[in-house]
Amino acid sequence: MGVVIVTGTGTGVGKTVTCAAIAACAKGTVAYVKLAQTGLDAAQPGDAAQPGDAAQFARLARSDNVHEFARYPEALPPNLAAMLSGRPALALADAVRQVIDLDALHDTVLVDGTGGLSAKYDGHDDWTLVDLAAAVDADFLAVVGVHVDMVDHASLLTSAIEAEGFGRAAVAIGNWAADPGPAARFALFDVQRLARRSQLAGVLPAGLAEGVNFRRRARAALSPDWGGTLDTRAFVSRQRP
């Protein structure tokens, strides 16, 4: 699978849980990267015992192959969080080198972005996920939140990725409720058409991160291309009101 950069249409859409689901279902070795954890100030970057996305991934995927490159106390875009904290910003060259090193040792490297596609990581050269993806030859997975504007948000994100020359992104739905309502059910069909090969990478249910049997439930939520068993086209067809 190589390097996959996981971005989303907003905060709390389920990027980290999606990463954990993919890792739990993968047949080969998987490394997880959190480029910059913001909003937390404890221990050292990469300590999965501390709160944060890396810790959640480690717990769900049952993996200690986690790599947090930077951490800042302010819940802001990484470049601003670094500036306010006085800590060094994450340089693009350092991020590229570490991701390439991990890629050489693993079948898949999942890069969990901080903020959205346009979030800046360094105030000096203003690099974003697009710059990292170009440097490490990564694919994109866009995680879409479930809400009334989900089609517009998904369209804007996938179009932005495609406009940068990366082709159509894979798309997964995060936090799909047991009864999401007719608006979301209709929107699901349109979001699917925006995805690579017009097929969703997965539909992850709300509450997937809670309870037991995470791997079994993750497999049921991901398409075969991503290690799961879900026929996403049949799922979308069943959701039409």
Side-chain angles (χ1 to χ4, degrees):
M1 193 175 291
V3 180
V4 179
I5 293 182
V6 182
T7 187
T9 56
T11 301
V13 297
K15 299 193 311 295
T16 304
V17 175
T18 300
C19 288
I22 294 169
C25 299
K27 293 182 179 180
T29 58
V30 179
Y32 168 85
V33 171
K34 183 66 182 181
L35 290 173
Q37 176 67 63
T38 61
L40 291 174
D41 186 19
Q44 298 295 319
D47 186 354
Q50 297 298 323
D53 292 338
Q56 183 184 42
F57 173 90
R59 174 178 64 85
L60 294 174
R62 295 187 177 182
S63 169
D64 60 0
N65 199 349
V66 297
H67 307 268
E68 184 184 285
F69 291 174
R71 176 176 290 215
Y72 308 108
E74 299 292 340
L76 293 168
N79 63 327
L80 299 180
M83 180 181 65
L84 287 180
S85 69
R87 298 177 184 178
L90 178 61
L92 176 60
D94 291 338
V96 168
R97 174 182 53 79
Q98 293 181 80
V99 170
I100 288 176
D101 288 347
L102 289 169
D103 187 33
L105 298 173
H106 300 88
D107 297 294
T108 302
V109 179
L110 299 171
V111 180
D112 189 351
T114 304
L117 184 70
S118 300
K120 297 175 182 177
Y121 287 80
D122 186 341
H124 297 293
D125 53 14
D126 290 342
W127 71 270
T128 69
L129 293 178
V130 169
D131 300 296
L132 178 62
V136 302
D137 193 24
D139 289 324
F140 275 98
L141 172 61
V143 181
V144 177
V146 181
H147 48 75
V148 66
D149 296 318
M150 62 188 289
V151 177
D152 287 340
H153 289 189
S155 179
L156 288 170
L157 179 55
T158 56
S159 295
I161 292 170
E162 194 165 0
E164 293 290 347
F166 294 100
R168 186 163 294 189
V171 175
I173 305 296
N175 296 320
W176 183 259
D179 184 12
R185 293 180 188 274
F186 277 118
L188 189 62
F189 178 78
D190 291 321
V191 172
Q192 177 182 245
R193 293 194 298 173
L194 297 170
R196 184 185 302 161
R197 298 193 302 276
S198 296
Q199 181 171 334
L200 294 171
V203 182
L204 286 81
L208 179 60
E210 310 302 327
V212 297
N213 297 320
F214 176 79
R215 183 176 183 275
R216 177 179 59 79
R217 291 182 294 131
R219 289 190 72 234
L222 294 173
S223 74
D225 286 346
W226 295 84
T229 60
L230 179 65
D231 183 335
T232 56
R233 288 177 178 164
F235 178 89
V236 171
S237 180
R238 292 195 301 270
Q239 296 301 313
R240 295 298 293 268

